[in-house]
Each structure stands twice: as structure tokens, then as C-alpha cells.
Amino acid sequence: MKVTTVWNGKRKFTSTGPSGYSVNQDATDKYGGDGEGMTPMELLLAGLGGCMGIDITMILNHFLGDIESIEIEANGIRTETMPTAFTEIDLTFHVKGNIPDYRVWKAIHMAEEKYCAVSASLKAEIRPHLVLNGVEVPHPA
């Protein structure tokens, strides 16, 4: 897979992948940017959420009619020193619908451990959490 990233002046870049879609990136004021795009670290968390979400919906494909919504919140904890890499990422899956929690947990585990290429590419510890129909469901033992 080849992604091309082109400089647009100052700290702005546009990346385009084989899909033909592009994403704009920029640094925050702190790093001399204008904040006119997602930062690379935001994109990393977005990529993780998207990868896990795609895999989970594929795993739960037969049950998608029972699911009203899925929202994935990624909260990354970074080191204080350079490079300020993620050391831990809390992934909270907010799911609404008529689906048993054990099915969702199984899909989360399968996505993280077997299918999601993004999670497999990260050094950070990924800690999943599930909120089903507004109620936090503990991680199964």
C-alpha cells in the first residue's frame, strides 16, 4: 500500500491513498501550525477506531439489524518526553441495540487480537471498554 503525503506550506500536508481519498493534516499552534487539519496522532486514533469498527461490523454482520448505533471513543495516553508516543489507548465502544453483551465483547476481542491491522501495528497497550445501551458492561473474565 502506498500513501503519498504532499506539503501544502507551513505545517500543512495532504495525504492521499490508493482509495483516492485524501485527508488534511496540520500541526497545532504549539508546533507552528494553524490547526487546519487533524494532527497525525489524531489520525492514528481515528485509524484505530475505524479499523476496529469495520472489523466489529464484519464479525457482527448477521446482527447488524439489531444494532442501532456504534460509537468508538479512543483516548490515548502519551509519554511526556519525545517522541510523545501513545503508551496506552482506552477504546470505549458505545453500542445501542438489542444484542447480547457477550456477542459484542467477542467481536471486540476478535477484532483486536486477530483482524485489526492497526491495533497489531501499535506498541501501545489497548484497553477495551463496552457501554451497551448506556450501561458499562465489565470485561468478561
PDB file of all heavy atoms in Angstrom, residues 3 9 51 60-61 79 99 111 113-114 132-133:
ATOM      1  N   VAL A   3       0.832   5.439   0.270  1.00  0.00           N
ATOM      2  CA  VAL A   3       0.138   6.689   0.564  1.00  0.00           C
ATOM      3  C   VAL A   3       1.122   7.818   0.292  1.00  0.00           C
ATOM      4  O   VAL A   3       2.267   7.768   0.740  1.00  0.00           O
ATOM      5  CB  VAL A   3      -0.346   6.736   2.033  1.00  0.00           C
ATOM      6  CG1 VAL A   3      -0.916   8.101   2.370  1.00  0.00           C
ATOM      7  CG2 VAL A   3      -1.375   5.642   2.292  1.00  0.00           C
ATOM      8  N   GLY A   9       2.650  23.907   2.539  1.00  0.00           N
ATOM      9  CA  GLY A   9       3.136  25.124   3.174  1.00  0.00           C
ATOM     10  C   GLY A   9       3.007  25.061   4.682  1.00  0.00           C
ATOM     11  O   GLY A   9       2.188  24.318   5.234  1.00  0.00           O
ATOM     12  N   CYS A  51     -10.614   1.004  12.048  1.00  0.00           N
ATOM     13  CA  CYS A  51     -10.234  -0.390  11.815  1.00  0.00           C
ATOM     14  C   CYS A  51     -11.023  -1.328  12.721  1.00  0.00           C
ATOM     15  O   CYS A  51     -11.589  -2.324  12.267  1.00  0.00           O
ATOM     16  CB  CYS A  51      -8.729  -0.550  12.040  1.00  0.00           C
ATOM     17  SG  CYS A  51      -8.082  -2.188  11.656  1.00  0.00           S
ATOM     18  N   LEU A  60     -19.986  -8.990  13.336  1.00  0.00           N
ATOM     19  CA  LEU A  60     -21.388  -8.977  13.772  1.00  0.00           C
ATOM     20  C   LEU A  60     -22.357  -8.793  12.602  1.00  0.00           C
ATOM     21  O   LEU A  60     -23.516  -8.428  12.815  1.00  0.00           O
ATOM     22  CB  LEU A  60     -21.604  -7.852  14.800  1.00  0.00           C
ATOM     23  CG  LEU A  60     -20.868  -8.005  16.121  1.00  0.00           C
ATOM     24  CD1 LEU A  60     -21.075  -6.761  16.987  1.00  0.00           C
ATOM     25  CD2 LEU A  60     -21.314  -9.256  16.858  1.00  0.00           C
ATOM     26  N   ASN A  61     -21.919  -9.062  11.402  1.00  0.00           N
ATOM     27  CA  ASN A  61     -22.711  -8.785  10.202  1.00  0.00           C
ATOM     28  C   ASN A  61     -24.145  -9.321  10.285  1.00  0.00           C
ATOM     29  O   ASN A  61     -25.086  -8.636   9.910  1.00  0.00           O
ATOM     30  CB  ASN A  61     -22.009  -9.345   8.962  1.00  0.00           C
ATOM     31  CG  ASN A  61     -22.632  -8.849   7.686  1.00  0.00           C
ATOM     32  OD1 ASN A  61     -22.818  -7.654   7.507  1.00  0.00           O
ATOM     33  ND2 ASN A  61     -22.952  -9.772   6.794  1.00  0.00           N
ATOM     34  N   THR A  79       3.484   9.660  26.342  1.00  0.00           N
ATOM     35  CA  THR A  79       4.642   9.928  27.191  1.00  0.00           C
ATOM     36  C   THR A  79       4.886  11.428  27.246  1.00  0.00           C
ATOM     37  O   THR A  79       4.449  12.172  26.365  1.00  0.00           O
ATOM     38  CB  THR A  79       5.909   9.238  26.653  1.00  0.00           C
ATOM     39  OG1 THR A  79       6.202   9.767  25.360  1.00  0.00           O
ATOM     40  CG2 THR A  79       5.749   7.740  26.590  1.00  0.00           C
ATOM     41  N   ILE A  99     -28.712  -6.542  21.321  1.00  0.00           N
ATOM     42  CA  ILE A  99     -27.681  -7.544  21.085  1.00  0.00           C
ATOM     43  C   ILE A  99     -27.041  -7.896  22.427  1.00  0.00           C
ATOM     44  O   ILE A  99     -26.773  -7.004  23.237  1.00  0.00           O
ATOM     45  CB  ILE A  99     -26.628  -7.048  20.065  1.00  0.00           C
ATOM     46  CG1 ILE A  99     -25.626  -8.150  19.737  1.00  0.00           C
ATOM     47  CG2 ILE A  99     -25.963  -5.772  20.521  1.00  0.00           C
ATOM     48  CD1 ILE A  99     -24.794  -7.872  18.495  1.00  0.00           C
ATOM     49  N   ALA A 111     -11.591  -8.649  16.855  1.00  0.00           N
ATOM     50  CA  ALA A 111     -11.067  -7.542  16.054  1.00  0.00           C
ATOM     51  C   ALA A 111      -9.670  -7.158  16.530  1.00  0.00           C
ATOM     52  O   ALA A 111      -8.733  -7.055  15.725  1.00  0.00           O
ATOM     53  CB  ALA A 111     -12.013  -6.345  16.124  1.00  0.00           C
ATOM     54  N   GLU A 113      -7.461  -8.815  18.504  1.00  0.00           N
ATOM     55  CA  GLU A 113      -6.435  -9.856  18.570  1.00  0.00           C
ATOM     56  C   GLU A 113      -6.160 -10.554  17.239  1.00  0.00           C
ATOM     57  O   GLU A 113      -5.079 -11.106  17.051  1.00  0.00           O
ATOM     58  CB  GLU A 113      -6.844 -10.898  19.614  1.00  0.00           C
ATOM     59  CG  GLU A 113      -6.922 -10.311  21.016  1.00  0.00           C
ATOM     60  CD  GLU A 113      -7.641 -11.209  22.009  1.00  0.00           C
ATOM     61  OE1 GLU A 113      -7.964 -12.368  21.651  1.00  0.00           O
ATOM     62  OE2 GLU A 113      -7.895 -10.739  23.128  1.00  0.00           O
ATOM     63  N   LYS A 114      -7.115 -10.514  16.307  1.00  0.00           N
ATOM     64  CA  LYS A 114      -6.951 -11.314  15.096  1.00  0.00           C
ATOM     65  C   LYS A 114      -7.035 -10.516  13.794  1.00  0.00           C
ATOM     66  O   LYS A 114      -6.332 -10.845  12.842  1.00  0.00           O
ATOM     67  CB  LYS A 114      -8.011 -12.422  15.093  1.00  0.00           C
ATOM     68  CG  LYS A 114      -7.850 -13.423  13.991  1.00  0.00           C
ATOM     69  CD  LYS A 114      -8.809 -14.573  14.149  1.00  0.00           C
ATOM     70  CE  LYS A 114      -8.610 -15.593  13.041  1.00  0.00           C
ATOM     71  NZ  LYS A 114      -9.532 -16.713  13.151  1.00  0.00           N
ATOM     72  N   LEU A 132     -23.060  -0.688  26.670  1.00  0.00           N
ATOM     73  CA  LEU A 132     -24.171  -1.224  25.878  1.00  0.00           C
ATOM     74  C   LEU A 132     -25.463  -0.625  26.378  1.00  0.00           C
ATOM     75  O   LEU A 132     -25.811  -0.781  27.550  1.00  0.00           O
ATOM     76  CB  LEU A 132     -24.190  -2.753  25.969  1.00  0.00           C
ATOM     77  CG  LEU A 132     -25.271  -3.482  25.175  1.00  0.00           C
ATOM     78  CD1 LEU A 132     -25.150  -3.200  23.680  1.00  0.00           C
ATOM     79  CD2 LEU A 132     -25.190  -4.985  25.437  1.00  0.00           C
ATOM     80  N   ASN A 133     -26.141   0.082  25.493  1.00  0.00           N
ATOM     81  CA  ASN A 133     -27.405   0.744  25.822  1.00  0.00           C
ATOM     82  C   ASN A 133     -27.267   1.633  27.057  1.00  0.00           C
ATOM     83  O   ASN A 133     -28.134   1.659  27.931  1.00  0.00           O
ATOM     84  CB  ASN A 133     -28.529  -0.286  26.005  1.00  0.00           C
ATOM     85  CG  ASN A 133     -28.805  -1.045  24.731  1.00  0.00           C
ATOM     86  OD1 ASN A 133     -28.891  -0.453  23.653  1.00  0.00           O
ATOM     87  ND2 ASN A 133     -28.909  -2.354  24.817  1.00  0.00           N
TER      88      ASN A 133
END
